[in-house]
Amino acid sequence: MINRRNFLVKSASALAITFVVPSLLSGKAHAKKPLAQKVTDKQSWGIHVDAGKCVEGCTACVDACNEENGLTGFGRPETDSQWIRKVTVKNKTTDKITTMPMMCQHCENPPCCDVCPTGASFKRVDGIVMVNQHTCIGCRYCMMACPFKARSFVHETLTQQNTNAPRGKGCVESCNLCVNRIDHGSETTACEDACNKAGHSAITFGDLKNPSSKVRLAIDSNSPRRLRNDLNLQQKVFYSNI
Amino acid sequence: MKHLKISFLIFILSVGIQNVSSHDGSPHVTTGKSKADSQEACVEPTELMRKEHYMFLLHQRDETVIDGVRTKKHSFANCIDCHVSYDEQGKAIPINAEGQFCQECHVKTATNITCFSCHAAEPRFPQHSGMTSKMNSNDINELVKHINNDK
């Protein structure tokens, strides 16, 4: 006879078998940080972009970022928030045209943090450069300091923000390497997922300190460079084939 | 006279707080039902939450943003998930709307918070992520998602 208690116990064990066991078997590439633990400098997040694989006209990464972070425009391209954008450049001597995504380059020596009067612009110990919106006063010095124009200012009252991506008027914002996803153990950013799904695989995210991470493999098998290397900002976003 | 005014104010405030502290059967003035309505306890003793809920929030705020701590217990998103009410159609009612959990009490106690100019006042996730929050936790898929998320 199955009584209520028995049924519950049985369903609970069935659940455990279906959902716990696969997670044991899946063999994650990096150990997931327990949610209660603070981030450490044992990891250093970065991105490799293979511009050779980036396709002109494709905006999959931009669209995915907008969806992930609830970025909606007001039909004002000059001021609407962009955390990632597509840039097309032409080499003057060879006429070679390259298209690639540009986002916060997550500098090791970030000028945005140097100029921030409140410390709201900061580099997390695992290398993510971001804005603490609770202390941002909206002065926009960081936007002027950034050589990559990676930051946006929210000019309008917002509604319909995503639970995982609070944002609002009067604050500066930029790519945070999908920090919420990463903290919850995701191994990909939204832009990377979308680029893979579109069949291009131009974006690779991962831990730069782990020699067998996918981003390190991508970096080691290409010979990428940093943009504006002359500024010695030691960015953690690398570009190949530009 | 000044003292009288102050004690009157304190009286009003304390009456106000008692009026909304429900969960003992009488509805706390919200129209629909929330997950909290069917639960026994908050994330800390009710007495403590009533007085110091914002201390937990402000602490969690820095732990999360600066140190990447993502525990659910004092997470703002989690308060909303549990306390938000749903209308008859199962649609979430913004928790800061008139008469809703956070708003109702703050109006009575003359408190103003700006958190919801940035934070979603109801559970809202991007379409693709497959994370949803509905009232009906009998739904096995929902349960599975919660179990997975809790790890």
Side-chain angles (χ1 to χ4, degrees):
Chain A
M1 194 192 103
I2 287 199
N3 59 26
R4 190 179 135 83
R5 187 176 175 274
N6 254 333
F7 174 74
L8 282 179
V9 170
K10 282 198 181 123
S11 353
S13 12
L15 268 182
I17 290 166
T18 353
F19 299 105
V20 177
V21 175
S23 66
L24 285 179
L25 294 179
S26 67
K28 291 257 177 178
H30 67 242
K32 212 169 122 176
K33 173 184 86 65
L35 296 179
Q37 201 170 296
K38 294 182 176 181
V39 285
T40 66
D41 60 3
K42 291 207 174 66
Q43 277 157 333
S44 176
W45 304 114
I47 282 186
H48 173 262
V49 175
D50 188 340
K53 292 180 179 168
C54 183
V55 174
E56 211 178 336
C58 174
T59 56
C61 56
V62 179
D63 299 340
C65 179
N66 290 350
E67 196 197 350
E68 180 78 19
N69 297 296
L71 310 184
T72 45
F74 292 84
R76 303 197 242 289
E78 293 272 301
T79 52
D80 283 344
S81 276
Q82 291 179 309
W83 292 17
I84 180 170
R85 62 167 75 90
K86 286 291 294 289
V87 172
T88 302
V89 290
K90 185 173 170 184
N91 186 318
K92 278 186 193 137
T93 37
T94 62
D95 275 357
K96 187 188 170 206
I97 290 185
T98 312
T99 180
M100 59 193 173
M102 284 283 297
M103 67 295 258
C104 170
Q105 305 285 300
H106 298 279
C107 307
E108 187 60 36
N109 311 316
C112 54
C113 301
D114 290 342
V115 299
C116 179
T118 67
S121 231
F122 75 111
K123 187 179 69 180
R124 217 168 72 152
V125 289
D126 58 357
I128 304 179
V129 174
M130 54 188 191
V131 180
N132 181 346
Q133 300 207 2
H134 301 118
T135 46
C136 172
I137 55 169
C139 73
R140 289 164 266 180
Y141 287 177
C142 57
M143 292 177 68
M144 285 183 264
C146 176
F148 308 106
K149 293 198 185 306
R151 289 195 160 177
S152 301
F153 179 75
V154 180
H155 290 263
E156 328 258 349
T157 302
L158 303 179
T159 56
Q160 305 294 308
Q161 293 95 324
N162 287 340
T163 291
N164 287 334
R167 46 192 293 271
K169 183 174 170 178
C171 280
V172 172
E173 55 182 19
S174 56
C175 160
N176 55 21
L177 293 179
C178 287
V179 64
N180 199 324
R181 286 166 61 125
I182 301 312
D183 285 347
H184 281 96
S186 170
E187 293 177 23
T188 59
T189 57
C191 55
E192 176 185 23
D193 271 354
C195 188
N196 290 344
K197 218 168 138 202
H200 307 315
S201 303
I203 301 176
T204 313
F205 165 87
D207 178 11
L208 298 171
K209 285 192 178 165
N210 175 355
S212 55
S213 70
K214 57 186 162 65
V215 68
R216 277 287 295 276
L217 297 180
I219 287 174
D220 294 346
S221 59
N222 287 281
S223 37
R225 46 176 277 206
R226 292 179 166 114
L227 305 178
R228 289 301 307 269
N229 219 356
D230 55 317
L231 299 174
N232 194 27
L233 302 174
Q234 303 294 326
Q235 304 95 291
K236 295 188 199 73
V237 179
F238 295 82
Y239 289 85
S240 294
N241 300 314
I242 41 177
Chain B
M1 187 57 199
K2 200 172 169 210
H3 280 291
L4 247 181
K5 269 190 194 155
I6 290 176
S7 21
F8 184 58
L9 190 71
I10 290 174
F11 174 74
I12 300 255
L13 281 181
S14 52
V15 169
I17 292 177
Q18 268 152 27
N19 273 350
V20 280
S21 48
S22 57
H23 291 290
D24 47 11
S26 59
H28 57 54
V29 229
T30 45
T31 44
K33 283 247 175 248
S34 67
K35 286 181 191 168
D37 286 339
S38 58
Q39 306 224 354
E40 294 291 308
C42 194
V43 291
E44 298 290 345
T46 313
E47 200 53 39
L48 190 60
M49 284 312 280
R50 210 170 282 156
K51 289 197 197 120
E52 308 213 345
H53 56 282
Y54 57 96
M55 295 300 285
F56 295 114
L57 281 173
L58 298 184
H59 185 70
Q60 180 84 4
R61 184 176 71 169
D62 293 345
E63 288 256 293
T64 301
V65 176
I66 298 166
D67 293 320
V69 169
R70 295 282 176 182
T71 43
K72 255 189 148 177
K73 195 174 178 196
H74 296 152
S75 136
F76 196 7
N78 199 34
C79 319
I80 294 159
D81 185 70
C82 192
H83 278 290
V84 76
S85 290
Y86 294 80
D87 63 16
E88 289 78 33
Q89 280 79 49
K91 206 179 154 313
I93 310 165
I95 200 162
N96 62 340
E98 204 183 318
Q100 297 303 307
F101 186 70
C102 306
Q103 183 69 4
E104 178 78 17
C105 191
H106 287 164
V107 167
K108 287 194 168 144
T109 54
T111 305
N112 230 330
I113 62 169
T114 56
C115 317
F116 295 114
S117 63
C118 294
H119 287 266
E122 61 194 278
R124 192 182 299 116
F125 297 94
Q127 230 80 66
H128 69 262
S129 79
M131 285 168 78
T132 52
S133 181
K134 288 206 198 78
M135 256 311 265
N136 189 357
S137 53
N138 297 332
D139 185 341
I140 194 84
N141 290 325
E142 214 57 43
L143 193 60
V144 168
K145 267 179 219 153
H146 273 284
I147 291 171
N148 285 342
N149 288 345
D150 276 343
K151 273 207 266 345

